[in-house]
Amino acid sequence: MKGRRLKYLVAGGIVVAALVGMIYSGVKESVVYFYTPSELTQKKDSVEGKSLRVGGMVVDGSLKWDPQALLLTFQLTDGQGVVIVRHKGTAPDLFKEGAGAVVEGTWTRDGYFRSSNIMAKHSEEYKPPVHPETLESKKELFKSILKEGKP
Amino acid sequence: MARLSFAARLHGGAAALLLAVGLYWGLLAVPADAFQGEVQRIMYLHVPSVSTAYLAILVTFCASILYLWKRDLRIDAVAHSSAEIGVVFLGITLATGAIWGKPTWGVWWTWDARLTVTAIVFTMYVGYLMVRAFAEEPQAGARYGAVLAVLGLPAIILNHFAVQWWRTLHQPSSLIRPGGPSVAPVILWPLVFNIVAMLVLYSYFLLERVRLERIRHRAAESRLKRGRRG
Amino acid sequence: MGSWGFVGLAYGVASVALIGYLLFLKGRLRGAREEFAALEREGGRRTR
């Protein structure tokens, strides 16, 4: 009985610690999960050097990729403010101009946001392509690749 | 020995058949979302899992309230069983969510409000199961569990509104939202079908799990009777 | 890992979890039934 009791006390302690940790960090972190570009431009001096997140839409035509330096540069906007973001490395597939994104990193003295992580944010809408690929069309494609009936 | 009633077998078979049809419909018979591509098909698993987990938590909540009122261990058996199945479906929700998050968001996990609350609810119900396993006296375990389970309803309401009240990486709700679902019919129908199939599986699991609790209860009574006689 | 790889992983993980839970449940049911039957047999022998 003693061993069983101890086992449950240890396990219970872990669960309670995990809960307290998640609630604490949850309240601290997820209440303001990311700042908008206009919020950041307002308070940039006070957050300089602190790690934080910025979320917005990628401005059309702002996305530039430098393959030599592996540097991705783009702008994020919420319709009012604009933040210039520089990111070393690649981005997720769904990260594109006109789409939503949340970046993690720090605001630098040089007037841009240094991103260490890019996350693509998508909408709650789901729709098929304009010309939906049906099972029939997949079979047709398969046939055309195999060139059935042709030598 | 393993005497399975015809109804239970039919129930399990129906769940398997529905899931097989849902699998074919969602994976092969329908085009994937235009923006996300094929990975969107994880939705036919992720959304039914979370819907089922919510229902399981709701059943545990109602049965726990009823238990606190009636003090009947047969009602508590429903609460306990549903909580266990809820943990399974919450686990699947977290796992499929991470696997869906990596190719779309670019990360397996992030501490936004929706994900954090889901992780907290999962840990809460793991705790519930531990309280139940720890309690040596059935009535006491049922009572502690019921008090914990009362938090279930506010937890799922909080999780539903988390994506509206706070800024999150997770997108807002696609199904239960003002203005109706934001999902095109070709994607919506297999999704609803898969939700129904998963709920049938849940009801099968629940009946079998309650049956287990009943047999254990009878065995305990038999042991008690024997002890008194000897 | 390609798009379908993630889909396969998700469905694989969920299948393992669901089938695993089903087997776990069936195993416990069998065990409980056997225990109950043994208790009843013993009880019957004693009263005789």
Side-chain angles (χ1 to χ4, degrees), chain B residues 1-5 9, chain C residues 26 29-31 33-34:
Chain B
M1 182 62 241
R3 196 168 40 83
L4 257 184
S5 74
R9 248 185 248 176
Chain C
K26 290 286 172 190
L29 265 169
R30 197 182 308 117
R33 280 201 179 101
E34 275 165 10

Side-chain angles (χ1 to χ4, degrees), chain B residues 75-204:
Chain B
I75 300 170
D76 168 66
V78 175
H80 187 180
S81 302
S82 188
E84 185 184 286
I85 302 162
V87 165
V88 173
F89 280 100
L90 277 175
I92 294 174
T93 302
L94 290 172
T96 55
I99 296 167
W100 194 5
K102 184 62 187 167
T104 50
W105 301 338
V107 288
W108 300 97
W109 185 266
T110 187
W111 291 103
D112 81 348
R114 166 55 68 84
L115 277 66
T116 305
V117 174
T118 310
I120 288 172
V121 174
F122 177 72
T123 315
M124 235 171 73
Y125 279 85
V126 170
Y128 173 96
L129 293 183
M130 283 173 47
V131 166
R132 301 307 311 260
F134 180 53
E136 280 165 18
E137 208 264 301
Q139 293 280 3
R143 212 164 46 239
Y144 298 147
V147 171
L148 234 174
V150 169
L151 294 172
L153 187 66
I156 54 177
I157 291 174
L158 179 71
N159 210 11
H160 179 75
F161 288 106
V163 284
Q164 291 179 30
W165 292 341
W166 296 293
R167 293 172 191 161
T168 54
L169 183 63
H170 194 288
Q171 70 285 0
S173 308
S174 295
L175 293 181
I176 302 171
R177 67 195 276 276
S182 57
V183 181
V186 274
I187 294 173
L188 184 62
W189 286 118
L191 183 61
V192 170
F193 185 90
N194 273 294
I195 293 174
V196 172
M198 210 60 108
L199 293 180
V200 172
L201 181 68
Y202 162 75
S203 63
Y204 171 69

Side-chain angles (χ1 to χ4, degrees), chain A residues 35-139:
Chain A
Y35 292 98
T36 62
S38 40
E39 281 169 354
L40 187 69
T41 44
Q42 269 163 31
K43 58 165 95 178
K44 47 190 159 197
D45 289 333
S46 63
V47 296
E48 195 191 294
K50 279 189 197 145
S51 67
L52 48 92
R53 298 190 191 90
V54 190
M57 307 298 276
V58 183
V59 176
D60 272 316
S62 72
L63 190 60
K64 277 178 199 79
W65 168 242
D66 179 353
Q68 246 88 55
L70 297 174
L71 189 70
L72 199 63
T73 319
F74 56 93
Q75 291 168 15
L76 279 181
T77 182
D78 56 354
Q80 289 152 358
V82 174
V83 166
I84 299 167
V85 183
R86 287 194 193 177
H87 177 82
K88 271 264 192 218
T90 53
D93 290 348
L94 295 187
F95 173 84
K96 37 188 100 155
E97 289 182 349
V102 177
V103 292
E104 291 176 329
T106 48
W107 175 255
T108 65
R109 199 172 307 190
D110 309 317
Y112 66 88
F113 188 84
R114 187 189 294 119
S115 152
S116 56
N117 197 15
I118 300 180
M119 295 180 283
K121 182 165 162 57
H122 62 80
S123 78
E124 72 273 32
E125 282 176 27
Y126 295 90
K127 42 181 178 265
V130 188
H131 298 294
E133 198 189 345
T134 60
L135 204 60
E136 259 336 284
S137 75
K138 271 184 197 164
K139 276 183 196 154

